[in-house]
Amino acid sequence: MQLATPHLTSNLTPQVGRRVSLRSSAALGWQGFGVEMLGIPAGEHRIPATTHHRIGVHVGTPVKARCLCDGRRVARIQAHGDADVIPAGLDGVWTDESDCTILRIWISDEFARTTAGQLHLNPARAHIRPQFQLRDRRLHYLVWALRAELEAEEASDALYAESLCTAVVVRLLEGAPEPDNRRRSLAPNAAARVIDFIESNIDKHLTLAELAALVDFSVPHFKVLFRETLGMPVHQYVIHRRVERAKTLLLQGRLSVTQIALEAGFAHQSHMAHWVQRLLGATPREIVKSGRDGLDDHRILPAGKA
């Protein structure tokens, strides 16, 4: 995956022309990757090489466009969902005949290398190759899910975005194996180790990498095993446990709502309120009141994507 290119820059958003950042994941606590919605004016844009891999996905009405990258000239009608995959170390020139919007995903080379290593791929063959006007249904599903996280009023736990980005890398890596859908599960002692760690660190920022390392599995493998064992993805399990912790503290009534949010691992009070309402069907204030009245009928409700 190493690309030897001089004059690399670590600038995640090369500013050429009048590109405008409409929305960014910078404040969401994602590590090793990010997502940004960019407004791109008509005209030519020279994008320098970076130390990150980039995926640019066209959003909205079709636009006539051209690009020069990796020694290739491509002229096309860029339609909604069309993606350009630009590996670290490649620069290029993109020309759009009309204003357009691009959803840009960046992935650090370290994140991609770690994922490739966990898949036990041959380092000489495991790489992300440049692709232009890519149309891949499974990749689109992952990209739009990341966009939904970017635009959500309250984003899910960062574990969910990490899981999506890991799947993006697996999809783009050359030589990555097709997923094995045979039913498997974590051994009971391994599952207990992961669950105990989550409970003991529920107030901290958890990552898939550290959870997978507890049981010596790759992140992609661990995600499958965890879901088969617990009946839900890792990020859903963690958000459910955060809500249960918050509920317990709210019923005890000894801490402020702000303190409880932090103790339960939420980013802030409104983040906690969103998930408590969604999973318990009640506001934090209503739960506090039920505790004072000696009532507690707030249980985790069936939920969709957490």
Side-chain angles (χ1 to χ4, degrees):
M1 202 176 303
Q2 184 174 1
L3 296 168
T5 303
H7 309 303
L8 296 185
T9 174
S10 61
N11 182 6
L12 302 184
T13 309
Q15 294 300 320
V16 182
R18 292 171 286 110
R19 308 169 87 214
V20 178
S21 178
L22 305 175
R23 193 182 294 260
S24 171
S25 65
L28 296 180
W30 300 353
Q31 298 180 359
F33 63 95
V35 181
E36 188 173 20
M37 191 72 78
L38 294 170
I40 310 292
E44 180 180 282
H45 299 268
R46 297 180 180 274
I47 311 299
T50 75
T51 56
H52 293 71
H53 307 285
R54 293 166 289 161
I55 306 166
V57 185
H58 184 81
V59 178
T61 56
V63 170
K64 287 185 179 181
R66 302 185 304 277
C67 76
L68 171 59
C69 182
D70 194 36
R72 284 182 273 179
R73 295 180 182 273
V74 181
R76 69 274 183 101
I77 302 293
Q78 193 80 342
H80 182 71
D82 285 356
D84 286 349
V85 179
I86 312 301
L90 281 184
D91 59 4
V93 179
W94 279 258
T95 305
D96 301 296
E97 293 193 6
S98 307
D99 293 354
C100 62
T101 302
I102 297 293
L103 179 72
R104 189 180 68 91
I105 300 168
W106 66 266
I107 301 167
S108 73
D109 193 51
E110 181 182 2
F111 190 103
R113 284 174 182 274
T114 299
T115 301
Q118 291 174 340
L119 293 171
H120 305 294
L121 300 180
N122 183 339
R125 299 179 56 190
H127 62 278
I128 294 175
R129 65 183 176 89
Q131 299 183 69
F132 304 97
Q133 205 170 18
L134 174 63
R135 294 171 179 172
D136 181 285
R137 292 181 64 181
R138 281 183 282 184
L139 179 65
H140 285 174
Y141 170 82
L142 298 168
V143 165
W144 297 138
L146 281 169
R147 177 188 177 182
E149 283 300 290
L150 180 67
E151 297 178 340
E153 182 177 344
E154 289 291 348
S156 304
D157 194 275
L159 283 168
Y160 178 58
E162 184 186 352
S163 179
L164 290 172
C165 192
T166 299
V168 167
V169 173
V170 172
R171 189 68 188 150
L172 293 179
L173 278 172
E174 289 286 290
E178 289 297 315
D180 183 354
N181 293 321
R182 290 176 299 176
R183 190 172 184 83
R184 298 161 297 172
S185 60
L186 290 168
N189 61 335
R193 193 178 312 140
V194 174
I195 290 170
D196 287 346
F197 185 86
I198 291 173
E199 292 298 326
S200 300
N201 296 274
I202 200 69
D203 60 328
K204 299 179 177 63
H205 176 78
L206 298 169
T207 69
L208 286 172
E210 67 182 342
L211 295 178
L214 291 171
V215 287
D216 198 26
F217 284 120
S218 70
V219 168
H221 193 188
F222 173 73
K223 286 166 53 184
V224 173
L225 298 183
F226 188 96
R227 183 166 190 159
E228 292 294 346
T229 306
L230 277 299
M232 65 179 69
V234 184
H235 71 276
Q236 280 192 14
Y237 180 84
V238 170
I239 203 73
H240 278 64
R241 298 312 304 155
R242 293 195 197 283
V243 168
E244 283 290 357
R245 176 69 62 86
K247 172 187 167 184
T248 298
L249 295 174
L250 287 166
L251 289 172
Q252 290 174 353
R254 293 197 294 264
L255 299 174
S256 70
V257 175
T258 299
Q259 289 174 307
I260 290 172
L262 297 177
E263 288 286 331
F266 290 101
H268 42 71
Q269 180 178 332
S270 63
H271 189 209
M272 179 185 73
H274 170 83
W275 287 109
V276 167
Q277 174 73 54
R278 177 166 174 172
L279 296 185
L280 298 180
T283 66
R285 179 176 296 181
E286 290 169 339
I287 292 174
V288 170
K289 184 176 185 300
S290 70
R292 289 171 179 164
D293 295 343
L295 303 173
D296 177 18
D297 56 355
H298 304 297
R299 294 179 174 84
I300 293 285
L301 301 174
K305 175 184 72 63

